[in-house]
Each structure stands twice: as structure tokens, then as C-alpha cells.
Amino acid sequence: MSIPLKARAVVVGGGISGASVAYHLAKAGWTDVVLLERRRLTSGTTWHAAGLIGQLRGSANMTRLAKYSADLYRGLEAETGVATGMKQVGSISVALTRERHEELLRQATVARIFGVDVAEISALEVKGMYPHLEVGDVVGAVHLPLDGQCDPANIAMALAKGARMKGAQIFEMTKVTRITTAAGRVTGVDYEGPEGPGHIEADVVVNCGGMWGRDLAAANGVTLPLHACEHFYLLTEPVKGIGDLPVLRVPDECAYYKSDAGKMMLGAFEPKAKPWGMGGIRPDFEFDTLPEDWDHFMPILEMATKRMPLFETAGIHTFFNGPESFTPDDRYYLGPAPEVQGYWIAAGYNSIGIVSSGGAGMALAHWITEGEAPFDLWEVDIRRAQPFQKNLAYLKERVSETLGLLYADHFPYRQMATSRGVRRSPIHQQLADRGAVFGEVAGWERANWFANPGQEREYRYSWKRQNWFDNQKAEHVAVRESVGLFDMTSFGKIRIEGPGACRMMNRVCSAEVDVAPGKIVYTMFLNGRGGIEADVTVTRLTETAYLVVVPGATLQKDLAWLRGHVGEDFAVVTDVTASESVLCVMGPKARDVLSRITPNDLSNAAFPFGTAQEIELGMGLGRAHRVTYVGELGWELYVPTDQTAHVFEALMAAAPEVKLCGLHTLDSCRIEKAYRHWGHDITDEDHVLEAGLGFAVSKKKTGFIGREAVLARQEAGLSRRLVQFRLTDPEPLLFHNEAVVRDGVIVGPVTSGNYGHTLGGAVGLGYVPCKGQTAEEVLGSRYQIEVAGVRHEAVASLVPMYDPKSERVRG
Ligand SMILES: Cc1cc2nc3c(=O)[nH]c(=O)nc-3n(C[C@H](O)[C@H](O)[C@H](O)COP(=O)(O)OP(=O)(O)OC[C@H]3O[C@@H](n4cnc5c(N)ncnc54)[C@H](O)[C@@H]3O)c2cc1C
């Protein structure tokens, strides 16, 4: 068979990722697919994986995808005739601390939402299933009977065979040397094959190049920030009497165990990993291993020997060390590269590529063939990657942390320790001097909370109240009763300019944006299904210029969405994030304190809600936007970055009572007001009407994206609604991914949660099925929220529990 000249899609890389993408594309009917592998199939990372298939994941959609993989792999052998070694031996995860136990119980709740079989078991029950284990200090455990283990290389080979059976073509010893593009679109690939160089014409190329993927992407200006690390396991000599045992994870000791043909495997997720490949990857790398490093592995082996004394006597058969790709946030990359149309990515699997690739391949194939992801995939969306993250020094330092994080406690609000401080606000130091404790999003350092003088400026993580709970409360009260200042410089800012800007924006936005200059419009960018691609404020600056303000984390996605929809209109989309800082002055006294540094009239008559004006600020000049995300009177001040320090100092000098507030307080205020958080409560999967945001969709305007889907849903009626919940017991906390229980039945996850210091309890949002039901019927049910296996009573509301008529906002 010779390599074709043309294909509908070319998949680069024949590891498990590429094999799964090709399999699912072919299954979706794209039989004209070609997969190219530079050496032999699986010879990168896939061949040497340990083969654990665990469905216990931290979030709702990752659980959904892992369950899909497990279900798929179970049937692959029958489908393709390739022995996959897939054994449903089950898995046990044990907790050695109370905090870890809570995490496991919370994950079990997430698993239950998606029908994954999971049971909470005691230390004694663990011992019953795993006689070799010391369980004296085990606090508790969870058992997933349908988890399993497999032979990773054969799973990949089975997927490749399945792809071929459905029509895909696979060529080994064929290296893609360049992905070709023209006018910002993929046109195909150049390759070097056994018979020399060649070219395949294709509109779609999928980079499944594993640890090679980053440099391949960079050649086209595509950001794919990943870096390899050394990853270790060892295998004992045969141990008498070892049969099939469940896969065992002891995350508190950074270890997993697997019985493998009478031998025991011990794998490590050590806290400080060894980045690898800084000098590049040898061109002939194929089924390669890396040198042993006993010193590095020893701390894990020592703990394992105490945990499972058989390691003391069983000889070591193999010490394995192989490279694997890790990403800055420990999540893999899937989806369309924002830089080049037709360029797709499935790479950077952070040592869970075997369990992830089945689901990821399915999701990506759906995305490519249907034009939209099957459900919300923001967590792993490639468009969350920031261009600066390509920096190798940044990556190298960060991945030394992210490998171990897989088995670390995934506490809420947990921050990375490495590669910090890259993006900072102009008043970063001033905030630090006043007690700011920073968190990081998209490289931005943001004040999450402010420590009191003398208080430790570090997080003390827990699943219960963390050490900043009272700081948040004080900040929250200040915003509700007096005035607070948030530094939101991390907002993404996008200018759309040109004679066609208005036409283009009116096509992209659900709300009418052909408004007078100075007006601010809250609007959605909808997709064809009525799902929410973004919720943003759009400020008309002039007849021909708009400013779109977006979350810092979604900037690249939102830029890509806007650029992808310029069409024939004469409009230019520019990222102006770094040009302005954003200081948000919020609270009933906001007008009073701002008036001390500006002569401009801030009265309701002169400066109504939903408008923007240039105003004097101290001796500088900025643009004040009268909007809020905390549900109070307030202004967001957009200040040129060069004047920000001056404006901040002028404000703090004139109004020392202004309380500096962090992001945790922003979130607790917004959830009381039931303001939706994109990526959690609203995503491209969530219909705008079901999200309760129909007010941001124009009734009069035609010709905007998503309108038909809005009309259709109006006609058909809602099938679910976003509901706000408050726990009646003030003690438990909600973060997200707890289960909403309606009349005794789990109906879905809590999409976001925080503590409502004014409402007096934890508050969360979540979708509730409502087909054919009135609002009264929806609210007439009994609601509970399951937190770590315990159900707590909740009150439910379809209107914001805090200030439902928004009287305070318009104050
Ligand atoms: C020690 C160890 C244990 C692991 N255990 C598990 C586990 O238990 N469970 C789990 O889920 N995961 C595990 N993993 C992770 C898993 O192995 C990886 O996440 C997964 O194999 C990644 O697959 P991939 O297809 O993305 O990458 P790869 O398998 O590396 O495939 C990428 C392929 O692309 C090819 N390629 C690159 N550039 C080009 C080009 N220009 N042209 C053509 N071809 C190209 C390469 O040759 C390579 O074959 C483990 C990893 C290690 C190292």
C-alpha cells in the first residue's frame, strides 16, 4: 500500500493517542484517514506504560471520559481479535490521613454521578482483598470493582487494527517533517517515509506526537506547552502465591502497585520529578529506556517495603525508567489549536494517557467531525494554554512539580509552588506589602486573600475551613457593607476595531451591541447549539471600536472565537490585555470613596449602571465601567498600566477604609448573587436558556449565531435548569463536583460552590432536570447535596438568594 496523496485527516503519531483518534474518526465515518508514525507503533511512550485503568477522577467530565475508555477497552479484544490483556481486577485507593479520606470520598461521589460502581471500604476490608498489605494506619479506602489493568501496547495495537478495519490507513517509519499551511489554514503534511519524501494534502491534521508534539507544533507557531519527565516503576521477580490482585494506590506514599503475571509492580509519583529531554530527543529514539536512578527511587521503595514487606525479599527483576510528557497544570491537551485552522491536538497526557486516550479520542473525533465537542471539555481544552508557557525554563521547572501532583492531595484552591511570578499586575508589590497571598491563573499572580498583620502568609490546605476563611469573611463583609478593592488586571481585554466591527459583533453576540458609545452590554457568544462559548461584557468605545472583557484563563479561546468569526467584515481583533490594569472598587461606599480621587460626577443620573466613561483618577486618567461581579454598587477602573500604581496609591491615601480583597471573596460574593462562572456553571455544552441567561439574548435581533437554537429550545421547553442551593447546616463546604440529590436521587454535579458569608452557609449552583415541569414543581422537591458521601439538606432557588431585584447594584 502506498501513502496516499490526499486524505480527509492526517493523524501524526502512532501511540495510543493517535491510534484512538484514528479509530474514532474512522468509526465516525471519516474512513479516509491516514496515521503516520515516525518509527513503529507504540514505540514512544505507550509501550512501557504500567497499564492502570482507573476511573476515579477529580471532576465530572474527566470521570465521564475515563469511564468511556474502560468500557471501550473491555470490548476491544472481541471487536479486533487483538489480545489486550484487559482484566477487570478492580482497584483500591487507600487513605492514610483524614484529609485524603475526604478526597477519596468526594471522588467517589463524582464517580457515582456517572454510574461508576464504587464502594467505600474499611481497612479490614482492604486487608481482606490485599493480604500482603500493612493496613494498621489506613483510615479508609474506596474500591472500584470495574477498574482494571491492561497491556497498553496491545490496547493501542487493537485501536490501530480497529481503525484499519474501519478504513483508516497507517504507515510506520514515516516521519512528518512539516505541517503545511496557507492563509492560516492547514493544507497537509510533508513527510519522510521509507521511499523518500512526500506530501499528503489534508484539511485536518491531528498532532498526537506525545513528547515530540511541542516542537512539531512550535514550527507552525502553535502553542503546545509540555515537557517530558523521567517516570519510574520496578517489577519484582515472581512472588509465590501472587495471583490477580486489584490495582492498589497509596497516594500518601506516592505509590501504586499492580500484580503482573506473578510479579509485583511498584510505580512512583515522587514529589520532585526529573525533567528530561532538555537537549532534544535522539532522532532514532524507539522503544528506548532511560538509565536507572536508585537514589531517586529509594524513598518510595523504602515506604513501599514497610507497606508491603514482600518487597524486602522479592528480588528486583526490572527497574524501568521511561519518559512521559507533563503539562503545566497536569491536564492533557485536546481540541483545535487557536493559531491555525484545521490543526488539532491530543497530547500531553501526564502519565494517564492509557486510561484517558479512549475517551479523548472519542471526544476529539466528535469535535472534528461534528464541529463541536460532545460535552464541555474546557478542563483539557488546548486553548487554555498561554503562549508564554512555551518557555522551556518555565516548563522544565513546572513539570518537576506536576508529575508528583497526580498523587498529591488535590485540596481545593491548591496552588502550584514552581514557575511562579511570570505575569504580574503593576501593583503586585504594593499588594504583597499589604498582605496579599497570591494564587496563579494563566501565569497571572492574583491576590486570592489578604493576611492580617502578623498572620502567616501561606495556605494551610484542607477540605474543611482553610486558614483564610475568616479573612475572606472580613473582606466579604466589607464589600457588602462598606467598600472593597479587587485587582482584576488579569482580565483578558480584546479590542475589535474597524468599520465592520459593529456588524461582526452583532453576529457573534447574543445581545444587541449596536448601542450608543459608552454603553456596556452583558452578552454571550453562543454556538450553533445555543451553548455558551463565552459570557463577556462588551463596551462600545466608539462607533467603530469595542472592548471585550473576558476571564484571563479564557483569553486565547475567546480571541480565537472572535478571529474565527470576522468573516467578510472589515474588523481587526487585537489582544490589548497588557495595556490596562483593572481595579474594581465595589461596595455601598464605592461612590463616596471614588469621589475623593475624581471630580467626575458619579451619580446615578450622570453615570448609570451599564455605562463607561473616561474619568480623572488622582492625577491620571482612566476609564470607569459601572458593572459588578459581586452584586454591589461599584466601578471597574481600566487604568493604563503606567498610571496604575499612581491611581492605587491615590485611592488608598484618600480612602484608607478601602479593604483590599482577594479572588476568594469575589467568588463568595458572586455565588450569593448566583452570577454564573464560565467553565463551571456555564460552558459550550450548556444552553443559554437552561443556564437562566435568556435575558442576555436579544428578542429583536436576527442573524446572530445560536439564534435558531434559542428559538428551538423556547419551542421545545427546557430540559434542565440551573438552580442555586444553600446548605441549611452552616458547617459543610461546597467547592464543586458535589452531587445534587433531588428527592433521594443524584441528578448531577454542583457546578461551582463557595461560602456565602452573608447568606450564612455554603452556596452552590447545579443543573436540575425539569422536562415538562413548572418552576414551582422544580422548587417543590426536596434537595440535598452529597458531600463526601454525606447528604446535607439544601434550600433551592431559581432567583438569586442575595438581592434578587439587584437594587444594591443600581444603588
Ligand atoms: C513508566 C510509565 C508508566 C505509565 N503508566 C500508565 C498507566 O498505568 N496508565 C495510564 O493511563 N498511563 C500510563 N502512562 C502514560 C502513558 O504511557 C502515556 O500517557 C501515553 O502512552 C501517551 O501516549 P501518546 O500517544 O500521547 O504518546 P506516545 O506513545 O509517545 O506516542 C507519540 C508517537 O508520536 C510519534 N511521533 C512524534 N513525532 C512524530 C512525527 N513528526 N511524525 C510521525 N510520528 C511522530 C512518536 O514516534 C510516538 O510513537 C505511563 C507512562 C510511563 C512513562
Side-chain angles (χ1 to χ4, degrees):
M1 198 164 37
S2 57
I3 300 178
L5 295 173
K6 206 171 165 185
R8 192 149 186 205
V10 175
V11 177
V12 187
I16 191 157
S17 176
S20 179
V21 170
Y23 171 90
H24 285 95
L25 281 173
K27 193 171 175 185
W30 280 33
T31 49
D32 187 9
V33 166
V34 175
L35 184 153
L36 302 181
E37 162 57 44
R38 52 178 270 286
R39 308 294 287 193
R40 277 173 293 163
L41 292 178
T42 79
S43 65
T45 297
T46 297
W47 70 279
H48 56 55
L52 276 46
I53 306 295
Q55 301 166 85
L56 204 62
R57 307 254 73 97
S59 75
N61 284 339
M62 292 306 105
T63 306
R64 208 163 160 180
L65 289 177
K67 181 175 188 309
Y68 175 91
S69 297
D71 293 344
L72 170 73
Y73 297 168
R74 267 199 295 281
L76 266 186
E77 190 164 332
E79 182 186 334
T80 62
V82 178
T84 57
M86 183 72 186
K87 279 194 247 170
Q88 262 174 317
V89 290
S91 80
I92 302 172
S93 295
V94 304
L96 304 181
T97 66
R98 299 218 158 277
E99 293 283 9
R100 176 72 73 173
H101 194 216
E102 166 124 11
E103 178 177 1
L104 290 180
L105 296 182
R106 282 176 172 265
Q107 288 178 335
T109 291
V110 181
R112 245 176 244 123
I113 296 173
F114 291 96
V116 174
D117 208 351
V118 54
E120 287 132 31
I121 58 172
S122 65
L124 220 64
E125 288 169 295
V126 174
K127 186 80 180 170
M129 293 184 201
Y130 233 108
H132 314 277
L133 204 68
E134 293 298 322
V135 297
D137 54 350
V138 169
V139 176
V142 293
H143 176 228
L144 285 89
L146 300 184
D147 268 7
Q149 62 188 51
C150 67
D151 175 345
N154 281 1
I155 289 276
M157 295 308 264
L159 287 167
K161 181 160 179 210
R164 278 199 190 102
M165 284 161 66
K166 291 172 176 50
Q169 290 176 281
I170 296 178
F171 298 92
E172 295 181 295
M173 308 311 286
T174 305
K175 180 183 173 180
V176 171
T177 49
R178 199 163 68 102
I179 293 171
T180 56
T181 62
R185 279 208 61 91
V186 158
T187 55
V189 300
D190 289 341
Y191 64 81
E192 185 67 45
E195 281 155 32
H199 178 79
I200 306 178
E201 192 185 325
D203 295 337
V204 169
V205 173
V206 192
N207 180 341
C208 299
M211 61 186 174
W212 291 265
R214 181 193 66 217
D215 293 345
L216 185 67
N220 293 98
V222 169
T223 301
L224 179 52
L226 51 81
H227 193 299
C229 281
E230 299 184 30
H231 196 25
F232 305 90
Y233 58 72
L234 60 78
L235 203 59
T236 64
E237 296 290 357
V239 180
K240 213 165 153 220
I242 292 275
D244 279 348
L245 286 166
V247 167
L248 174 76
R249 294 180 183 83
V250 188
D252 294 308
E253 291 174 346
C254 315
Y256 64 86
Y257 302 84
K258 176 184 122 168
S259 68
D260 196 337
K263 304 178 185 117
M264 277 308 288
M265 177 187 279
L266 163 66
F269 281 94
E270 67 279 15
K272 190 157 176 28
K274 289 173 73 184
W276 180 82
M278 278 71 75
I281 304 172
R282 254 193 14 241
D284 58 351
F285 186 104
E286 181 183 6
F287 296 118
D288 275 27
T289 62
L290 306 179
E292 295 176 352
D293 187 343
W294 283 101
D295 286 349
H296 190 76
F297 196 79
M298 204 44 89
I300 310 292
L301 182 58
E302 277 169 7
M303 284 189 283
T305 307
K306 290 196 189 108
R307 183 67 47 207
M308 212 182 284
L310 66 82
F311 277 93
E312 235 167 294
T313 47
I316 304 301
H317 178 274
T318 313
F319 184 112
F320 185 83
N321 179 9
E324 157 71 338
S325 315
F326 289 85
T327 66
D329 58 6
D330 234 3
R331 290 182 267 135
Y332 57 88
Y333 294 120
L334 206 63
E339 298 90 347
V340 181
Q341 301 251 327
Y343 195 119
W344 297 79
I345 286 166
Y349 279 101
N350 298 292
S351 81
I352 54 164
I354 307 303
V355 59
S356 303
S357 283
M362 174 278 292
L364 193 73
H366 185 285
W367 206 339
I368 293 171
T369 57
E370 303 286 323
E372 274 159 353
F375 45 80
D376 163 40
L377 291 169
W378 175 242
E379 215 173 312
V380 290
D381 194 318
I382 179 63
R383 293 169 296 178
R384 75 186 187 283
Q386 304 296 320
F388 87 86
Q389 289 177 315
K390 281 186 282 199
N391 180 295
L392 287 186
Y394 165 89
L395 278 174
K396 181 182 166 219
E397 183 179 320
R398 175 56 66 83
V399 296
S400 70
E401 179 180 9
T402 55
L403 181 146
L405 266 188
L406 210 82
Y407 275 29
D409 289 272
H410 302 103
F411 288 119
Y413 311 108
R414 185 177 178 129
Q415 300 297 323
M416 298 289 180
T418 53
S419 294
R420 294 289 300 267
V422 180
R423 302 174 85 187
R424 295 184 224 179
S425 152
I427 55 166
H428 179 89
Q429 195 52 47
Q430 281 94 330
L431 298 183
D433 291 347
R434 289 166 170 82
V437 181
F438 294 94
E440 184 236 302
V441 164
W444 280 104
E445 294 294 330
R446 312 192 303 176
N448 275 351
W449 56 282
F450 284 82
N452 298 322
Q455 187 183 357
E456 181 189 34
R457 293 185 178 194
E458 297 247 332
Y459 276 93
R460 292 283 158 208
Y461 296 118
S462 166
W463 290 97
K464 308 280 184 239
R465 284 162 169 62
Q466 298 187 3
N467 59 329
W468 48 267
F469 186 81
D470 289 336
N471 303 73
Q472 181 195 38
K473 183 174 180 183
E475 293 170 21
H476 185 111
V477 169
V479 173
R480 292 283 182 245
E481 295 177 3
S482 174
V483 61
L485 175 73
F486 300 88
D487 179 6
M488 292 305 298
T489 298
S490 62
F491 274 153
K493 297 138 216 142
I494 307 171
R495 273 181 91 108
I496 294 95
E497 291 177 86
C502 178
R503 226 171 80 107
M504 174 211 151
M505 288 299 285
N506 244 346
R507 198 170 57 250
V508 172
C509 297
S510 60
E512 178 61 70
V513 294
D514 189 2
V515 292
K519 186 98 187 86
I520 303 171
V521 181
Y522 175 59
T523 180
M524 313 292 125
F525 298 167
L526 297 179
N527 57 35
R529 298 179 295 192
I532 302 167
E533 293 287 341
D535 80 316
V536 301
T537 58
V538 173
T539 303
R540 190 160 199 181
L541 299 172
T542 67
E543 281 297 318
T544 55
Y546 289 89
L547 180 77
V548 180
V549 178
V550 305
T554 65
L555 174 65
Q556 302 306 323
K557 174 183 189 296
D558 298 328
L559 275 168
W561 187 262
L562 287 165
R563 288 183 176 138
H565 288 94
V566 170
E568 298 300 308
D569 288 314
F570 189 167
V572 178
V573 177
T574 313
D575 171 12
V576 294
T577 299
S579 65
E580 288 180 331
S581 310
V582 187
L583 305 182
C584 305
V585 184
M586 296 286 152
K589 293 194 182 146
R591 180 178 284 125
D592 169 26
V593 300
L594 261 185
S595 297
R596 296 181 212 164
I597 60 162
T598 183
N600 295 69
D601 185 351
L602 302 178
S603 67
N604 268 340
F607 205 145
F609 182 75
T611 61
Q613 291 179 29
E614 189 175 83
I615 64 172
E616 292 184 18
L617 291 163
M619 286 184 274
L621 205 59
R623 207 178 48 257
H625 291 211
R626 187 159 167 208
V627 285
T628 180
Y629 194 50
V630 294
E632 301 294 341
L633 171 72
W635 282 263
E636 291 178 354
L637 306 176
Y638 289 73
V639 186
T641 41
D642 53 350
Q643 296 167 46
T644 308
H646 163 71
V647 170
F648 174 76
E649 284 158 11
L651 180 66
M652 296 312 284
E657 71 267 42
V658 168
K659 178 99 176 152
L660 294 180
C661 299
L663 271 292
H664 294 332
T665 296
L666 188 89
D667 196 52
S668 73
C669 289
R670 74 95 199 162
I671 199 138
E672 288 190 326
K673 195 76 177 73
Y675 287 146
R676 279 66 168 139
H677 185 182
W678 195 89
H680 288 272
D681 312 310
I682 51 175
T683 66
D684 54 4
E685 174 186 356
D686 302 309
H687 195 283
V688 62
L689 298 185
E690 295 180 342
L693 296 173
F695 68 87
V697 180
S698 170
K699 309 275 177 301
K700 294 189 192 139
K701 192 170 84 160
T702 56
F704 64 91
I705 303 165
R707 178 166 184 266
E708 287 67 31
V710 172
L711 297 177
R713 192 54 58 95
Q714 257 165 1
E715 183 75 18
L718 306 184
S719 54
R720 54 185 203 141
R721 296 182 73 149
L722 193 60
V723 177
Q724 188 186 27
F725 301 100
R726 177 179 59 78
L727 300 186
T728 52
D729 177 352
E731 197 53 30
L733 301 179
L734 297 178
F735 305 115
H736 67 146
N737 285 322
E738 298 83 3
V740 177
V741 183
R742 183 182 187 185
D743 296 326
V745 179
I746 291 180
V747 293
V750 168
T751 50
S752 72
N754 205 316
Y755 201 81
H757 290 281
T758 307
L759 295 178
V763 182
L765 299 174
Y767 286 91
V768 171
C770 69
K771 191 83 193 150
Q773 294 175 342
T774 63
E776 290 69 34
E777 284 167 328
V778 171
L779 296 178
S781 292
R782 176 188 179 197
Y783 287 99
Q784 295 162 298
I785 306 290
E786 183 178 311
V787 182
V790 181
R791 295 186 173 183
H792 302 274
E793 297 301 318
V795 289
S797 178
L798 287 166
V799 293
M801 291 182 189
Y802 181 75
D803 189 22
K805 295 195 175 141
S806 289
E807 284 156 342
R808 298 179 67 86
V809 173
R810 286 161 209 285

